[in-house]
Structure formats: C-alpha cells, structure tokens
Amino acid sequence: MRILLVEDDDRIAQPLAEDLEHQHHLVDIARDGEQGWECAQATDYDLILLDIMLPRLDGITLCKRLRADGFSAFILMLTARDTTADKVIGLDAGADDYLVKPFELEEIEARVRAFSRRGDRANLISLAREDLQLDLVACKVMYKETPLNLTPKEYMLMELFLRHPTRIFSRSALIDKLWSFDRCPGEDAVKTHIKGLRQKLKAVGASEDIIETVHGMGYRLRSPAPAPPN
C-alpha cells in the first residue's frame, strides 16, 4: 500500500514509517496538516494515518476537507484523545477507524493489513501467474517451489506487476508507485532493480524475460504462452 503518515512528532513518525516500510509499504511523511493536504492532492494514497493534533491544520479539519474533495481511500485517525465523544467526532469527520496513542506497532500493522484486505483487495492472500506466486501475508515470492530472496524494492516491483499483469509501467510510473517523495531516484535506479529481479528469476529457473521490456514504453509481465492445440 502507498501510505501517507501525517504526524508532527518524529518520535512517533520515524519508527512507524520504518516499521511499515519493513512490511513492504511505501510511506510518505507530512509534518503538518497543510503539508498533508498538499501530499494528498499530488499522489494517490491507499491509506492516510492522520494525527488529530497538528500544526497549521488539525486532523479533523483535514479529514473533512479530504472527504469533501472526494478522497475515497482509507483514513485511520491517530490521537491521544480516548473518550467516546472524541471517537465519534473523528468518525463523523470521515475517518474509517480510530487508534488511541500510545499504541504498539503490532496493533497498527494489523489495522493496516485489515485495510489492505478491504474493497477490491478483499480476501486476497496471494497473487499468482503461471509458476510465479506471491504470498501477501508472509511477503514471500516463489517460482514453482523455490523461494526468491528479493530486496524490498524487488518484492514491491513483483507485487505491482502481478497485481496489474497486462499493464505497461514506464520508469517514471514505477518511480511514482514505489518511491517516496524524499527518496526519489533517477530512472537508472529502476533499470538496476529490474535487472536484479530478472537475474534472480533466471537463477531459480524462470525465463529472465518474464519481465518484458516494451521498447519506448516500459515494462510488463510477459503474456503466458498459448496452450498447445489438442
């Protein structure tokens, strides 16, 4: 998932972002409500983790503004306020869920997993195409019965291609999908990760061109070979 974390306390934001990235999510951090609004306008997010007490624009107002603007992705409120009235205010503002600080990282990981199963991702626990299989729960990729030892970015590339098996992704589109604003690389970095992924696929017996280069356009999964005639 691509996640926007709107939190002004670095003691919370940094370890939470690092933990979510370890779970193969892509995280952008906004330090105040106005910056959160600007990020949400510029990028399609699957989930916003939104603190209520924020400088410049508070979380309740930001949540209302996002919903009024048609933002349909999930919003999880993070706050130290734990009364029923506070929860009702947050949910009525348009939040999907509410988590009271302090929280354990394991709890927020579970909430994020629950959001990822909703909507068009409901009940998905794996992705597969021919002999390739990606386990979304264990975050592992297998070719036939052999596991691939992928870097986090290689895993994210594989997941993106398997979720959209016919789509062609340009290098700039892959950067937009898989890198946060503050770590945006050049297009050569995309080539490097694609090359590494192809080499690891080849090492376990897959064709290295299972990830196809469409010249002048980008990359996609190669279409399955047609079944032989009877």
Side-chain angles (χ1 to χ4, degrees), residues 12-24:
I12 295 173
Q14 287 303 137
L16 178 53
E18 289 170 7
D19 182 70
L20 291 170
E21 288 172 348
H22 183 70
Q23 304 298 317
H24 301 292

Side-chain angles (χ1 to χ4, degrees), residues 24 148-157 193 196-197 200:
H24 301 292
L148 278 74
N149 183 22
L150 302 182
T151 67
K153 275 292 182 286
E154 289 167 352
Y155 174 91
M156 293 168 75
L157 277 166
H193 286 292
L197 184 53
K200 290 178 181 180

